[in-house]
Amino acid sequence: MTDLDRTTLPPRDGPLWVGAFYNPHLARETLEAAELFDHLAMADPPRADDRWFEPARERFTLLLHDYLGQLSEPYDAHAIARSRHLAALYDSPWVAEHFQCLHTEDGRFNLNYVFPPLYTEEFLQRFITNATLLRAQLDRPLVMENIPGFFDVPASTIPEPEFLTRFFDATGCGFLLDLPHIWIEAHLQRRDPAAFLEAFPLDRVVEIHSGGLVDDDDLHAPWIAPAPPSDAMLDFTAHAVARCPAVRAVTFDAFSPTLTADVLLESTRRLRERLVP
Amino acid sequence: MTTAHGDRALHDALIRLLADAPFRDALHGDGDRAPASDLAPEHRAVLRSVDPERVRRFARFLARQYYAERIVHFHRYSRALTRWTGRAPEAVLRTPEFEALLPSVVLGSRDTAERVAALLADYLGAAPHLPPYAEELVRYQNAQLVVEAGPRVWRSDDEEPAPFTAESAPVRERGALVLHLTWDIPALLPTLLTAPAAERPPDARRAGVALLVARSPRARVSVLRCSRALLDFLERLDGTATIAAAADAARLPVSDAVEIAHTLREAGALRAPHASAPTT
């Protein structure tokens, strides 16, 4: 097997997976309803005192979806070692990163939450170069998640879908399509989400995130929340799955200590009923 | 002062625009004033062209997210007390007092962390049905919130520093804190998280404890229980005293003191005197 083979996913040859994030405070309930979950995405490493992690690791496919670094700069040896360690611990079939740039180069300022890069030629080349390096060092497929922008920056000269398409063409990475993020951007741009979706490279999608949105008091706009997906979001998810021929997994995207077992189980059940015949 | 150009520098300016409320004010006020004066003129023009209302809203949103994440992590033990007190620590972020803080917030700064910690102390201290150790529990958690703040190393190609020897003269990191408590809070913590529902919160043991709270350059917070000898040893490490001399004064075996100094450096409590604190 060549290096390229190990970092490239073969075509899907089984049913679509439906899963959720591993929320440690709901691990017992997750295991008790194991039939609902094909996979669990890991946003944080397991705590040493988490007695549910080992049973979860034995029972489910785990997907590495931690904050590993930002691809505007190359990962250093520490970040590479941490990423490799977590990927091996989970035996993750792919590793997720984000189209985001959260902290300044000098480390003084850090937003700690979603903020996309400037969509420029310079940033595109930075992301291509650093993702290619990371992927080779992970020795596993790398998928990249789209991140919404809350305001336009005139210095961004490349439309986001084109930036992503050129990135995926250059790197061979997979696309983690976050539908609530698409929905938010479409809302902010007063566009139809399904029409907005069509501009993205859907043939590259490996995993889809679906989830709930609520109106945020600060933003005066909908934003991601640990809430169930609406009927409209379920419809949108089914539409996206149909439009993404290589998608392998759909994940209920909620990771929060305020997430309740009812919301986790019911949301995953509804996604499964809607997506898996 | 040098002015950075290029897209990466512009993006850094955008991050600062969202993270640093006084910087936003300066940008939209007299743009030639510090702190916005170190911006390249073309970057200042871009920042001024971004919808200020959208920026303001997103900055407020990010500030609440930023401190919510830290409170959920550091104050999880006060959260466990919520079933008796009815007051969840993260609810402080929806109070008028936090609202009043927003125009001066600098995400991740020590000053803002100290002010958020003060709000938490007041807010949680006013809860009903508090166990007697509640105030010290908040102090313990607040110390971690404060110590975690500040510039951090995100990536580094530096080699491992040379190991300390008995003749090394390290200095205590200014950001590390020593807490003196009258309740054994560390021993209480596992019980708090797993205590079954009962009429009253679990009891703590009264015992004087000293804790060193430190942060590694990559912002991993550690809490170390300190003996009297360890406190004496730490106090003497001012960058001029050698480990051997500080160990003698604290009545610690020198070989143990060298080992301890290694552990303290890994935790971020000590550094070689010539090594800089993580300002980058």
Side-chain angles (χ1 to χ4, degrees):
Chain A
M1 184 179 270
T2 67
D3 284 349
L4 184 63
D5 289 333
R6 281 196 297 269
T7 61
T8 305
L9 281 163
R12 190 178 104 203
D13 60 358
L16 182 72
W17 299 345
V18 174
F21 272 75
Y22 178 70
N23 282 269
H25 68 293
L26 301 176
R28 183 176 57 82
E29 291 87 343
T30 303
L31 281 157
E32 285 172 358
E35 72 284 356
L36 287 178
F37 304 90
D38 296 307
H39 67 277
L40 296 174
M42 299 295 296
D44 276 343
R47 291 179 59 87
D49 58 358
D50 182 356
R51 65 193 173 105
W52 301 106
F53 171 70
E54 273 305 322
R57 185 166 78 138
E58 285 174 17
R59 177 64 179 79
F60 304 109
T61 297
L62 301 183
L63 304 178
L64 174 52
H65 194 101
D66 209 317
Y67 179 84
L68 302 174
Q70 62 183 23
L71 288 169
S72 47
E73 286 77 48
Y75 280 27
D76 67 0
H78 173 90
I80 293 283
R82 180 174 180 272
S83 306
R84 287 177 63 94
H85 165 73
L86 290 173
L89 176 67
Y90 305 151
D91 194 18
S92 185
W94 58 82
V95 172
E97 253 303 346
H98 306 80
F99 286 104
Q100 64 185 9
C101 185
L102 303 182
H103 62 80
T104 54
E105 273 194 292
D106 67 5
R108 281 180 69 202
F109 298 101
N110 168 29
L111 301 178
N112 203 54
Y113 195 57
V114 293
F115 190 56
L118 286 171
Y119 296 123
T120 64
E121 294 293 340
E122 179 187 325
F123 267 95
L124 180 60
Q125 288 312 312
R126 281 172 172 264
F127 272 68
I128 288 171
T129 301
N130 297 325
T132 303
L133 284 171
L134 173 63
R135 187 175 167 217
Q137 294 192 292
L138 282 174
D139 209 16
R140 289 173 198 258
L142 178 66
V143 302
M144 293 286 291
E145 179 177 344
N146 56 304
I147 295 296
F150 187 69
F151 49 82
D152 291 330
V153 182
S156 276
T157 52
I158 305 174
E160 182 196 1
E162 182 188 331
F163 186 97
L164 269 59
T165 302
R166 289 173 60 189
F167 171 86
F168 291 128
D169 286 348
T171 62
C173 290
F175 185 7
L176 196 169
L177 172 63
D178 190 296
L179 292 175
H181 290 175
I182 294 282
W183 187 289
I184 288 165
E185 284 199 301
H187 172 90
L188 294 171
Q189 297 177 23
R190 298 167 194 254
R191 298 174 67 177
D192 172 60
F196 184 58
L197 178 69
E198 289 304 313
F200 286 83
L202 302 182
D203 58 325
R204 298 285 188 176
V205 173
V206 171
E207 182 182 353
I208 287 176
H209 279 182
S210 183
L213 298 170
V214 298
D215 284 334
D216 184 87
D217 292 341
D218 287 317
L219 299 175
H220 303 173
W223 200 262
I224 310 112
S230 64
D231 290 344
M233 182 61 78
L234 285 174
D235 291 344
F236 190 41
T237 307
H239 169 76
V241 167
R243 297 288 298 122
C244 298
V247 63
R248 289 163 164 257
V250 175
T251 307
F252 172 53
D253 185 8
F255 175 68
S256 166
T258 63
L259 179 67
T260 64
D262 285 350
V263 169
L264 172 65
L265 301 182
E266 183 63 8
S267 300
T268 311
R269 186 186 63 73
R270 291 184 72 207
L271 278 169
R272 178 172 292 283
E273 285 176 358
R274 187 64 196 266
L275 302 175
V276 182
Chain B
M1 180 178 293
T2 57
T3 300
H5 297 265
D7 292 349
R8 188 64 184 82
L10 172 58
H11 192 85
D12 277 0
L14 279 164
I15 289 172
R16 186 172 181 190
L17 184 71
L18 291 164
D20 182 344
F23 176 80
R24 279 198 300 281
D25 282 350
L27 183 80
H28 289 292
D30 174 0
D32 294 328
R33 283 190 295 135
S37 60
D38 55 334
L39 281 176
E42 68 271 23
H43 292 175
R44 187 182 305 144
V46 171
L47 264 54
R48 282 179 161 164
S49 72
V50 178
D51 181 341
E53 177 57 17
R54 284 268 177 109
V55 169
R56 188 189 70 85
R57 283 192 223 160
F58 198 54
R60 289 167 59 87
F61 169 79
L62 288 173
R64 265 190 254 273
Q65 289 283 337
Y66 189 96
Y67 290 103
E69 182 165 312
R70 276 149 184 79
I71 291 170
V72 161
H73 177 68
F74 291 123
H75 294 73
R76 59 187 179 276
Y77 304 104
S78 284
R79 192 166 211 280
L81 279 181
T82 303
R83 58 186 135 158
W84 295 284
T85 65
R87 188 163 283 209
E90 63 272 19
V92 76
L93 301 173
R94 294 286 168 191
T95 61
E97 289 78 12
F98 186 78
E99 202 68 28
L101 199 62
L102 283 171
S104 59
V105 158
V106 180
L107 294 186
S109 74
R110 183 101 172 193
D111 177 63
T112 301
E114 285 172 349
R115 293 161 75 189
V116 173
L119 292 183
L120 281 158
D122 289 346
Y123 182 74
L124 295 172
H129 313 301
L130 290 173
Y133 51 78
E135 186 268 338
E136 289 196 353
L137 179 66
V138 175
R139 271 214 290 139
Y140 169 86
Q141 298 166 119
N142 274 349
Q144 295 178 64
L145 175 75
V146 169
V147 164
E148 191 261 353
R152 58 163 287 183
V153 171
W154 286 96
R155 57 182 314 279
S156 169
D157 297 318
D158 292 349
E159 291 177 8
E160 287 287 306
F164 284 140
T165 67
E167 295 313 307
S168 302
V171 61
R172 187 172 137 188
E173 286 284 3
R174 279 177 301 170
L177 294 177
V178 175
L179 276 183
H180 293 278
L181 304 175
T182 61
W183 298 90
D184 191 349
I185 295 295
L188 166 72
L189 301 176
T191 316
L192 263 180
L193 290 184
T194 56
E199 284 185 11
R200 34 194 293 270
D203 293 326
R205 189 171 65 92
R206 256 207 187 277
V209 293
L211 303 173
L212 174 67
V213 186
R215 188 196 77 155
S216 73
R218 290 180 187 266
R220 183 171 53 83
V221 176
S222 302
V223 181
L224 304 161
R225 199 184 274 265
C226 297
S227 63
R228 183 66 252 169
L230 179 54
L231 289 176
D232 288 346
F233 176 62
L234 256 180
E235 200 152 292
R236 284 171 168 78
L237 293 175
D238 58 0
T240 59
T242 64
I243 288 175
D248 282 347
R251 297 182 184 180
L252 285 171
V254 173
S255 58
D256 287 1
V258 173
E259 281 297 307
I260 289 168
H262 280 301
T263 303
L264 294 175
R265 176 159 68 182
E266 280 181 16
L270 281 186
R271 63 181 161 87
H274 56 273
S276 58
T279 54
T280 63

